[in-house]
Amino acid sequence: RCAMNPLLPLDCQAAMPDRFGLVLAAAARTRALREGAAPRLGDASNSATETALAEIAAGAFAPAELSPFLPPSEPRRLAKPT
């Protein structure tokens, strides 16, 4: 078995620059793949985690599908400004 491509996470960051959101999206997709979701890319021989990262890097998701994992466009305030 070969190791994961070390450049794959960098490719993912090009598609999804927020690292925290990338981790959340990859974890959610990995769970879905392990629960039986069909892979969006043709090669399903990799692990679920590697497949999830490859799908994100390849742009297999619409922006609306990734938006729950991205930070809001404007910062939220915890308290009302005085």
Side-chain angles (χ1 to χ4, degrees):
R1 171 125 170 95
C2 296
M4 182 175 77
N5 176 1
L7 299 177
L8 188 56
L10 297 175
D11 294 338
C12 289
Q13 282 188 312
M16 194 169 187
D18 181 58
R19 286 183 183 182
F20 185 70
L22 173 60
V23 169
L24 292 177
R29 183 60 182 155
T30 299
R31 263 188 250 98
L33 289 167
R34 287 184 180 159
E35 291 173 0
R40 294 188 179 196
L41 300 178
D43 184 21
S45 63
N46 298 328
S47 70
T49 304
E50 194 170 351
T51 301
L53 289 171
E55 290 175 347
I56 293 170
F61 297 97
E65 293 176 292
L66 294 176
S67 66
F69 304 107
L70 295 173
S73 57
E74 59 184 53
R76 295 185 217 166
R77 295 187 178 269
L78 296 177
K80 293 181 181 179
T82 57

